[in-house]
Amino acid sequence: MLLPGLLALALLGQAPQRTYYWRDSAGQTHVTNTPPPSDAELLEAPPPAAVVPGKADRPQMLRTNAGQGQNLHPLSAAQQRAWEALDKHLAKARAEGDRRTLEAVSDSLINDCLWGHGLWALPLLPVLSVTLLSLLGWWLALGIRTGSRVPLVVGFFLLGLACGQLLLNVYLYRPMALRLWQNMELLMQHMGTGKALRPEHRVMLQQRYQALQQAADPLQAPWHFPTEVRNLRKAMQQVMVEP
C-alpha cells in the first residue's frame, strides 16, 4: 500500500547534480552540470525565491506588470546580475540555433526548484510517518487479546498513510509548486528574446501553474503532482524553443 506513494516520489526524479554558472577567460557565460575549469569565474546562480516549507501563508508571487518585465518582489543585486547573465547566455544560444541549451536551462532550473534548498530530504517524512505509526500500532497490539491485534495494526498503518500523504503534499509538493511558479515566471523575463511572451503561451503556462497548485492539494493522489511536473517540463521546452 505504500508503493504508490514511493513510486510517485520516484517519478519526480532523483536529486540532480549541481548546476554551475560561470564565466570563462573570454568573458562568455556558461551554465553546466559539470565543474568549470580552474581559471573560470564562478557566478552566483539565479536562486529560487525564498519559500519556507510548510508555511501556511502563500508567499508573494513573482509576476510581470503589464508586460514590462518588472516583478513585485525585487531581486537582490547579485540575483539580478545572475539572471541578466543567464538572459545573455540564452540570447547567444538562440542566435546560434542551439535548441539543446535552451531546453537544458529550463530543465536545470526546474530541477533546482524541485530539489534545492533541502527539499531533497523531505521525501523521508511520509516514509517515517508510515513506519513509526505502524510500529506504534504493533507495540500497542502486543498488550491486547489476539483477535483485536490485526485491526489495530491495520488501523495505525492506514493512519500512517494518511499522515504521510499530508506531509508529502504540505511539506514537499506545495513548496515545489510555489518555487516552480515563481521561478518559471522569472525565467520568462530572462529567456534571451528581449520581448514579451506570446499570449497563447502565457495562458498555457498559467494553466500549468494552476494545475500544479491543485495537484499539491492533500486530497489529491500522490502521483498527480509528478504528472503535472512532466506537463510543465514539456510546456517550458515548447515556450523556450518557440517563444
Side-chain angles (χ1 to χ4, degrees), residues 146-205:
T146 305
S148 302
R149 289 179 180 177
V150 173
L152 181 62
V153 173
V154 172
F156 269 84
F157 178 73
L158 294 177
L159 179 61
L161 285 178
C163 291
Q165 168 75 357
L166 183 64
L167 291 171
L168 181 68
N169 287 68
V170 172
Y171 289 94
L172 184 66
Y173 286 170
R174 186 177 298 173
M176 283 179 173
L178 293 175
R179 289 184 179 186
L180 286 168
W181 191 334
Q182 291 175 345
N183 290 279
M184 293 305 100
E185 283 286 286
L186 192 53
L187 177 59
M188 293 303 95
Q189 303 174 28
H190 300 86
M191 57 190 304
T193 62
K195 59 182 180 181
L197 200 63
R198 286 192 293 182
E200 59 268 26
H201 282 171
R202 169 63 60 188
V203 171
M204 178 180 64
L205 290 179

Side-chain angles (χ1 to χ4, degrees), residues 121-140:
L122 293 181
L124 292 176
L125 289 178
V127 177
L128 290 175
S129 171
V130 174
T131 302
L132 292 177
L133 285 175
S134 296
L135 289 174
L136 178 60
W138 172 79
W139 179 75
L140 292 175

Side-chain angles (χ1 to χ4, degrees), residues 61 63 83 88 97 105 116 124 140 148 166 203 211 234:
M61 307 304 294
R63 55 183 184 268
W83 280 104
K88 294 178 181 178
V105 167
L124 292 176
L140 292 175
S148 302
L166 183 64
V203 171
K234 294 178 182 177

Side-chain angles (χ1 to χ4, degrees), residues 41-183:
E41 176 189 359
L42 284 175
L43 302 175
E44 182 177 350
V51 176
V52 180
K55 186 177 179 181
D57 297 334
R58 178 174 173 175
Q60 191 176 41
M61 307 304 294
L62 297 178
R63 55 183 184 268
T64 57
N65 287 334
Q68 298 300 315
Q70 301 296 322
N71 55 68
L72 298 178
H73 184 75
L75 299 174
S76 67
Q79 287 175 321
Q80 188 61 47
R81 288 194 300 269
W83 280 104
E84 289 174 354
L86 181 61
D87 187 69
K88 294 178 181 178
H89 177 70
L90 292 174
K92 181 176 181 292
R94 292 186 187 283
E96 297 175 351
D98 188 354
R99 174 171 179 164
R100 182 177 179 180
T101 294
L102 297 175
E103 294 178 348
V105 167
S106 66
D107 277 344
S108 177
L109 289 176
I110 288 175
N111 288 335
D112 286 343
C113 292
L114 290 175
W115 299 112
H117 293 255
L119 286 180
W120 58 269
L122 293 181
L124 292 176
L125 289 178
V127 177
L128 290 175
S129 171
V130 174
T131 302
L132 292 177
L133 285 175
S134 296
L135 289 174
L136 178 60
W138 172 79
W139 179 75
L140 292 175
L142 294 177
I144 62 177
R145 63 180 184 272
T146 305
S148 302
R149 289 179 180 177
V150 173
L152 181 62
V153 173
V154 172
F156 269 84
F157 178 73
L158 294 177
L159 179 61
L161 285 178
C163 291
Q165 168 75 357
L166 183 64
L167 291 171
L168 181 68
N169 287 68
V170 172
Y171 289 94
L172 184 66
Y173 286 170
R174 186 177 298 173
M176 283 179 173
L178 293 175
R179 289 184 179 186
L180 286 168
W181 191 334
Q182 291 175 345
N183 290 279

